[in-house]
Amino acid sequence: MQRKSVLDLHKLKADNQKIVMVTAYDYTMARLVDRAGVDMVLVGDSLGMVIQGEQDTLPVTLDDMVYHTRCVSRGLQRAHLVGDMPFMTYQVSPEQAMASAGRLVQEGHAQSVKLEGGERSAPAIARIVEAGIPVVGHVGLTPQSVHAMGGFKVQGRTEESAERVVRDALAVAEAGAFCIVLEGVPMDVATEITEKLAIPTIGIGAGPHCDGQVLVCNDILGMDLTFAPRFVKRYARLEEVITDAVGNYAKEVREGAFPAEEHSFKRKTPRRIAKLY
Ligand code: KIV
């Protein structure tokens, strides 16, 4: 079985089929989401928050992303693998962007890379694409600009801001991105962009009219039930499943109920215990 290419993903849009993307950060989760049949797996810099426990994505390094992307690559057989470019690994210059993207592909085994920003990121996108690396754009609520936005805020709510998001999306497509994430934008703005662009749009908090959807795997699975933003739908409550399971294990160890005989090994021949005196 071969991993999906950019051509396969474009064909999904042409055939009017929704594109399903989810994040993963390690081999075990990658194997599971691949078996579930998703089209794209994103090793997002959201790992700064859900794996590393940071407040935002800004502390994530390129080494972190290369490491996790490589772990995920080992678990995928069918899904297309996207590696996320962390803060300050593409903003300095198009040459820096190309070198960073190159590491995600060469060392992390990503098939494409994602970076945030519209008009301002267009030169970086063009340079990476010129080097033969497919790029996923990302506009609207761009978490690496958390301080500039004054928080994780929906973008495009006013006329002026909506126009900026549309301009950004057009610039990303123009620069050569093969697909684009629309995060935290009103659904009519996402619909307008989806109608205007030839490349697929993948929404997160952008309504149902995008060509595909992406969510963080930990959110879909309910790994942290205290986190419940409007754009997330939980398909499981693994926080409860995991704490119950580990709680039962702890109880049985303390009570001496685990391990039982069936979890223990036996010798093939009876042991002769030598007399010491
Ligand atoms: O880092 C990430 O996981 C993302 C997605 C949520 C789009 O950028």
Side-chain angles (χ1 to χ4, degrees), residues 100-163:
S100 304
R103 282 198 63 200
L104 284 171
V105 172
Q106 195 164 41
E107 299 172 46
H109 301 163
Q111 292 165 273
S112 62
V113 299
K114 177 172 85 57
L115 57 84
E116 296 181 8
E119 288 180 320
R120 68 186 153 86
S121 294
I125 294 172
R127 186 69 189 93
I128 298 169
V129 170
E130 194 183 292
I133 300 173
V135 173
V136 178
H138 183 163
V139 303
L141 193 173
T142 45
Q144 290 174 19
S145 305
V146 57
H147 297 309
M149 293 182 303
F152 296 109
K153 299 215 166 92
V154 171
Q155 303 294 301
R157 280 197 145 132
T158 64
E159 198 49 37
E160 193 192 340
S161 166
E163 271 168 22

Side-chain angles (χ1 to χ4, degrees), residues 21-25 42-48 50 57 65 84 114 116 138 141 143-144 181-183 202-204 214-217 219 231:
M21 188 198 243
V22 70
T23 69
Y25 313 104
L42 168 68
V43 185
D45 65 351
S46 49
L47 69 82
V50 295
T57 59
M65 293 309 303
D84 214 358
K114 177 172 85 57
E116 296 181 8
H138 183 163
L141 193 173
Q144 290 174 19
V181 169
L182 307 178
E183 177 167 358
I202 313 281
I204 171 165
V214 57
L215 279 176
V216 167
C217 62
D219 298 342
F231 62 88

Side-chain angles (χ1 to χ4, degrees), residues 76-90:
L76 300 187
Q77 290 188 350
R78 291 179 287 202
H80 179 94
L81 175 57
V82 188
D84 214 358
M85 298 185 64
F87 182 58
M88 278 302 132
T89 65
Y90 58 93

Side-chain angles (χ1 to χ4, degrees), residues 257-266:
F258 176 83
E261 219 176 278
E262 73 255 34
H263 309 115
S264 310
F265 301 102
K266 292 202 172 99

Side-chain angles (χ1 to χ4, degrees), residues 173-192:
E174 182 87 353
F178 80 94
C179 122
I180 184 167
V181 169
L182 307 178
E183 177 167 358
V185 295
M187 57 181 176
D188 63 325
V189 177
T191 306
E192 181 185 335

